[in-house]
Amino acid sequence: MPEKELTLVDRCILITLMIKATPLPQTYFRNVAGIGLKADHRRRLMSLKLIEVTEKPITLALTDEGWNRAAEELGAEPPKGAGTPGGTLYVALDFLRRLIDHSGARADDLFRMKINASDVVTASTPPASSDAPTSQQADPVVLVREAYQKLASAPGDYVMLADLRSALTDLSRAEVDAALVELNRERNVHLVPESNQKVLRTEERAAAVSIGNQDKHLIAISS
């Protein structure tokens, strides 16, 4: 594939999808990653069969060819015009390539690896109780995950926070908000604003959680 077919923005889109290892809404690129993703970028990457795009909301996902192409950026030279941020990005990518080579793992296996908080045990962690926790003792984060799983048709589908809150009547708004903020730090969780604000109903606006001075209306959990 000639390098001229991909712009720096195209490459950054592929790299972001590879590192996040999950389909991402277009709003994530603009509002979180700061990537100026436009329709011509989507069309070019689709024409090269590097991504698949779904609607409502517009969501991008890597194809198998896209994974391979994104992996080529590991250890690649920065493209012309990359500038200081682009040069720094490719320094980090080269480190990842050397890390992957040293570990013997495949790039896609590395980025798809999930590290859950429950897998991390410290010396100060108290022993688990043999008694099953009651609903009153359950972690709000766990309850939010359980509610999402019941509402979502499939992992990674977007669910309105208004529907999620309706399913969590045993939790206060503050508890749900705190759980959402904590979940937002996880790589497989995506909280995004509704791209078309005009379609939001009053209750959907009211159910938003503010993160980074931005109202989020939808949540997706890929695993």
Side-chain angles (χ1 to χ4, degrees), residues 161-162 165 173 177 203-210 215-217:
L161 292 188
R165 291 187 190 277
R173 182 184 180 95
D177 284 354
E203 60 270 27
E204 291 171 338
R205 291 183 185 276
V209 61
S210 180
D215 286 344
K216 314 288 187 178
H217 309 97

Side-chain angles (χ1 to χ4, degrees), residues 114-122 125 139 141 145 182 186:
K114 304 301 180 185
I115 301 176
N116 299 316
S118 59
D119 296 332
V120 180
V121 179
T122 65
T125 302
D139 185 345
V141 170
R145 280 187 172 276
E182 183 174 344
E186 299 187 18

Side-chain angles (χ1 to χ4, degrees), residues 140 143-144 165 168-179:
L143 295 178
V144 169
R165 291 187 190 277
L168 293 166
T169 54
D170 290 340
L171 295 179
S172 68
R173 182 184 180 95
E175 288 175 317
V176 175
D177 284 354

Side-chain angles (χ1 to χ4, degrees), residues 10 13 27 32 44 49 63 68 70 83 88 113 119 121 125 135 140 190 219:
D10 294 334
I13 292 167
T27 51
V32 180
R44 180 164 47 252
K49 299 181 180 179
T63 62
N68 293 335
T88 304
M113 180 176 65
D119 296 332
V121 179
T125 302
S135 59
H190 305 287
I219 183 171

Side-chain angles (χ1 to χ4, degrees), residues 19-33:
I19 292 175
K20 297 298 288 185
T22 190
L24 295 173
Q26 180 166 276
T27 51
Y28 179 90
F29 293 92
R30 294 176 177 172
N31 301 334
V32 180

Side-chain angles (χ1 to χ4, degrees), residues 26-223:
Q26 180 166 276
T27 51
Y28 179 90
F29 293 92
R30 294 176 177 172
N31 301 334
V32 180
I35 298 173
L37 193 161
K38 298 180 180 179
D40 61 333
H41 298 124
R42 293 200 314 269
R43 286 192 291 265
R44 180 164 47 252
L45 294 173
M46 287 176 65
S47 69
L48 294 171
K49 299 181 180 179
L50 299 178
I51 64 168
E52 296 175 341
V53 178
T54 57
E55 303 288 337
K56 296 182 180 181
I58 296 175
T59 302
L60 285 66
L62 287 176
T63 62
D64 288 341
E65 291 182 43
W67 269 100
N68 293 335
R69 183 60 185 84
E72 291 178 13
E73 295 302 308
L74 298 170
E77 292 294 325
K80 293 181 179 180
T84 301
T88 304
L89 167 65
Y90 277 83
V91 169
L93 291 176
D94 182 64
F95 171 78
L96 284 175
R97 178 193 60 79
R98 289 185 282 114
L99 178 64
I100 292 168
D101 290 346
H102 179 73
S103 68
R106 287 165 47 93
D108 55 347
D109 289 338
L110 174 66
F111 293 121
R112 286 181 172 126
M113 180 176 65
K114 304 301 180 185
I115 301 176
N116 299 316
S118 59
D119 296 332
V120 180
V121 179
T122 65
S124 61
T125 302
S129 171
S130 58
D131 298 328
T134 64
S135 59
Q136 291 181 336
Q137 297 170 326
D139 185 345
V141 170
V142 174
L143 295 178
V144 169
R145 280 187 172 276
E146 290 176 350
Y148 170 83
Q149 291 169 0
K150 292 177 182 178
L151 292 168
S153 301
D157 284 354
Y158 280 90
V159 169
M160 293 297 300
L161 292 188
D163 296 331
L164 190 72
R165 291 187 190 277
S166 295
L168 293 166
T169 54
D170 290 340
L171 295 179
S172 68
R173 182 184 180 95
E175 288 175 317
V176 175
D177 284 354
L180 292 172
V181 170
E182 183 174 344
L183 281 167
N184 188 58
R185 301 189 183 103
E186 299 187 18
R187 289 184 54 178
N188 63 330
V189 178
H190 305 287
L191 282 152
V192 300
E194 168 56 58
S195 56
N196 184 1
Q197 299 281 311
K198 294 180 180 179
V199 305
L200 287 172
R201 295 174 295 173
T202 302
E203 60 270 27
E204 291 171 338
R205 291 183 185 276
V209 61
S210 180
I211 300 177
N213 295 323
Q214 185 179 59
D215 286 344
K216 314 288 187 178
H217 309 97
L218 296 145
I219 183 171
I221 304 177
S222 57
S223 64

